[in-house]
């Protein structure tokens, strides 16, 4: 019949909206105006398909399949049917059970009974691929809607994307019309940073710790000098007299505290040991370099086994090109989305073509192609980080996965040859080097 139906995977819709607006996929981070959301879905579905709406199916999960308050609000709205799967606890997190199966069954049944001519799917799960294929076989046009991703990457199965008849993206502006960030500052506790909060925190920190009862004949251990050095001054009691040492709050510095102290340490002249290496330390942390020069400030890292230890110096660049940024560092979230769209719809997957596409994006986003001239002295070597990124990109097209898990060297050469050919046409002097 000439009607359209909307099938909504609530876990995908709400999680993607929370990721975009709050940076966290937890649904508790956003508030949903369900009336406005259903109205917007209906209006957009009818506009996209050109058909009147039959029904919106809302698929979600709940403990013991019992409707939550939001499900009760939804199921009384016009043209809305709620289908619930089970929400179970597994390995410390909540897991949906039966939602995908319910969506698959509903989609197949609607198509088999010719209840609609067009179906709008709002989901990202590739498990619905068989249902989508069944619906198409029964003459139903499938529209796949995605939500704009927070990181700019695809948040849908590429198999679904490839099978859909029509595709649309619900952007941030559309989402913000029905979703808003949940206000987490209200409640019984004072807001962070407020005067009341600081007063409460100060009062808690100033309270003396509970002391265990002394056992007969047991002498309490003496405070180690290191612990005494980091212990704060004894706070004054109400009568103006200092509290006894037993009631003093001892604070163990965190790694962050020690790092702050270490950065303020003044370098000292190293003392040359018998073996010729500098052995002077500042406060037991700052080590002088072996070449006799004092460190400008120790670079430390925390080890559970050894405490504060020196962080090894970064390895020098093997070639000048190793200092260039990678494509990932130069790419914005919007560009990542556009790149994935181009990869799916326009790139054939030929090894030579893949290398050219990667090089074109890298050189275009670097801005100043003159910076790439540092690559020519090391031709045909590609900077290590960029080469690894290039091969990972090629793996998307299945170029590096061959039988027996062996990498086809012919494809590697073709990928890198395409990379250099593209750069040679853009960077001054490149054609002379590559042609040689």
């Amino acid at each position: 019949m000439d009607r359209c139906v909307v099938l909504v995977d609530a876990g995908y819709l709400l999680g993607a909206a929370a990721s975009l607006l709050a940076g966290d996929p937890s649904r508790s981070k956003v508030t949903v105006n369900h009336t406005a959301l259903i109205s917007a879905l209906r209006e957009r579905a009818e506009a996209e398909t050109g058909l009147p709406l039959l029904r919106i199916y809302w698929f979600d999960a709940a403990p013991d399949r019992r409707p939550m308050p939001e499900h009760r609000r939804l199921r009384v709205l016009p043209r809305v049917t709620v289908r619930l799967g089970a929400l179970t606890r597994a390995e410390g997190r909540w897991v949906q059970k039966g939602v995908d199966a319910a969506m698959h069954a509903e989609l197949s049944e609607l198509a088999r009974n010719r209840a609609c001519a067009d179906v709008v799917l709002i989901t990202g799960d590739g498990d619905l691929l068989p249902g989508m294929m069944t619906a198409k076989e029964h003459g139903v046009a499938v529209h796949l809607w995605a939500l704009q991703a927070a990181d700019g990457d695809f948040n849908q199965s590429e198999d679904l994307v490839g099978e859909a008849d029509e595709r649309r993206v619900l952007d941030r502006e559309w989402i913000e019309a029905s979703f808003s960030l949940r206000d987490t500052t209200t409640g019984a506790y004072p807001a962070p940073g407020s005067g009341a909060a600081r007063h409460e925190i100060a009062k808690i920190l100033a309270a003396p710790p509970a002391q265990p009862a002394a056992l007969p004949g047991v002498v309490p251990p003496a405070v180690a000098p290191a612990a005494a050095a980091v212990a704060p001054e004894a706070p004054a009691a109400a009568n103006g007299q200092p509290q006894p040492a037993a009631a003093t709050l001892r604070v163990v510095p965190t790694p962050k505290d020690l790092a702050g102290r270490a950065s303020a340490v003044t370098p000292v002249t190293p003392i040359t040991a018998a073996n010729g290496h500098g052995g002077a330390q500042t406060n037991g942390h700052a080590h002088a370099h072996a070449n006799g020069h004092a460190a400008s400030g120790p670079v430390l890292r925390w080890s559970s086994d050894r405490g504060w230890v020196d962080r090894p110096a970064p390895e020098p660049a093997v070639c000048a090109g190793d200092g260039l940024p990678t494509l990932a560092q130069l790419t914005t979230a919007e560009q990542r989305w556009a790149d994935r769209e181009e990869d799916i719809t326009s790139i054939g997957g030929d090894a030579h073509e893949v290398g050219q596409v990667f090089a074109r994006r890298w050189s275009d986003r670097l801005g100043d192609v003159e910076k790439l001239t540092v690559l020519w002295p090391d031709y045909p070597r590609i900077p290590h980080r960029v080469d690894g990124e290039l091969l990972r990109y090629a793996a998307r097209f299945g170029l590096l996965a061959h039988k027996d898990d062996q990498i086809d060297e012919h494809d590697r050469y073709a990928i890198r040859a395409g990379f250099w050919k593209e750069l040679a046409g853009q960077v001054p002097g490149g054609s002379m080097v590559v042609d040689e």
Side-chain angles (χ1 to χ4, degrees):
M1 299 182 66
D2 293 338
R3 295 177 295 188
C4 68
V5 171
V6 180
L7 274 63
V8 180
D9 181 351
Y12 168 79
L13 175 63
L14 302 181
S19 296
L20 181 64
L21 301 182
D24 188 332
S26 175
R27 294 161 56 162
S28 62
K29 299 294 183 180
V30 293
T31 301
V32 187
N33 184 338
H34 292 97
T35 303
L37 176 60
I38 295 300
S39 176
L41 288 173
R42 177 173 184 170
E43 179 181 349
R44 179 145 186 170
E46 291 180 340
E48 292 279 347
T49 63
L51 300 173
L53 177 75
L54 171 62
R55 191 174 296 114
I56 295 176
Y57 289 90
W58 186 273
F59 294 89
D60 205 355
D64 298 327
R65 302 179 188 268
R66 294 180 179 177
M68 304 293 285
E70 63 179 278
H71 303 139
R72 298 180 187 277
R73 289 193 295 269
L74 279 165
R75 66 184 184 180
V76 298
L77 295 176
R79 301 296 181 101
V80 176
T81 296
V82 176
R83 297 279 189 258
L84 294 179
L87 192 63
T88 59
R89 194 79 171 173
E91 299 181 357
R93 62 189 185 93
W94 291 103
V95 179
Q96 294 184 357
K97 297 291 185 181
V99 175
D100 296 337
M103 290 189 71
H104 178 280
E106 197 71 56
L107 178 58
S108 301
E109 196 69 15
L110 288 169
R112 188 176 297 111
N113 294 328
R114 302 187 182 277
C116 59
D118 291 62
V119 169
V120 174
L121 278 179
I122 305 178
T123 185
D125 198 337
D127 291 343
L128 280 177
L129 182 62
M132 179 186 288
M133 296 173 66
T134 299
K136 292 176 63 176
E137 289 171 358
H138 284 82
V140 174
V142 180
H143 304 251
L144 183 64
W145 290 2
L147 267 72
Q148 180 180 339
D151 57 0
D153 206 348
F154 264 57
N155 52 13
Q156 287 181 310
S157 163
E158 292 190 11
D159 292 332
L160 284 182
V161 171
E163 192 68 26
D165 295 308
E166 300 285 346
R167 296 176 50 233
R168 295 290 183 271
V169 177
L170 306 178
D171 57 15
R172 176 185 287 269
E173 182 180 357
W174 188 93
I175 295 168
E176 288 178 340
S178 305
F179 292 83
S180 60
L181 290 175
R182 187 181 298 275
D183 185 5
T184 58
T185 60
T186 58
Y189 298 97
S194 64
R198 288 194 295 270
H199 175 72
E200 291 297 326
I201 294 172
K203 184 167 66 175
I204 294 172
L205 294 178
Q211 299 295 324
L215 298 176
V218 178
V219 179
V223 179
V230 298
E233 298 180 359
N239 56 5
Q241 299 297 325
Q243 295 181 357
T248 302
L249 178 65
R250 298 185 181 90
V251 179
V252 178
T254 65
K256 182 178 179 181
D257 296 333
L258 291 178
R261 296 180 189 179
S263 62
V265 172
T266 302
V268 297
T269 303
I271 300 175
T272 305
N275 58 3
H277 297 286
Q281 296 183 358
T282 304
N283 290 348
H285 298 296
H287 297 271
H289 292 295
N291 60 6
H293 297 288
S296 60
V299 180
L300 304 173
R301 64 180 176 86
W302 181 259
S303 169
S304 301
D305 299 328
R306 294 176 291 169
W308 285 101
V309 296
D310 286 327
R311 177 181 296 167
E315 298 181 1
V318 178
C319 69
D322 287 336
L324 293 173
T326 62
L327 178 62
Q329 294 171 329
L330 299 170
T331 304
T332 64
E334 292 76 11
Q335 287 172 329
R336 278 198 298 273
W337 181 284
D339 290 347
R340 182 63 69 87
E341 179 76 16
E342 183 183 12
D343 291 342
I344 294 175
T345 59
S346 303
I347 309 302
D350 174 74
H352 202 270
E353 179 189 17
V354 167
Q356 287 184 293
V357 171
F358 182 92
R360 170 175 53 80
R361 292 174 182 170
W362 188 44
S363 60
D364 288 348
R365 289 165 196 174
L366 191 61
D368 184 7
V369 294
E370 294 286 347
K371 296 179 181 179
L372 296 176
T373 56
V374 299
L375 299 176
W376 303 139
D378 296 294
Y379 173 83
R381 182 188 181 278
I382 300 176
H384 179 70
R385 293 189 305 157
V386 177
D387 187 53
E389 192 179 37
L390 170 61
L391 294 179
R392 288 192 298 272
Y393 171 68
R396 289 185 186 177
F397 302 91
L399 292 174
L400 305 182
H402 291 272
K403 61 180 181 179
D404 301 326
D405 295 328
Q406 296 296 316
I407 297 176
D408 191 330
E409 289 298 322
H410 176 76
D411 282 348
R412 280 179 174 264
Y413 286 124
I415 292 167
R416 289 165 176 155
F419 174 88
W420 284 112
K421 180 178 180 181
E422 181 66 25
L423 291 186
Q426 297 191 35
V427 184
S431 57
M432 298 174 56
V433 177
V434 175
D435 289 342
E436 293 175 0

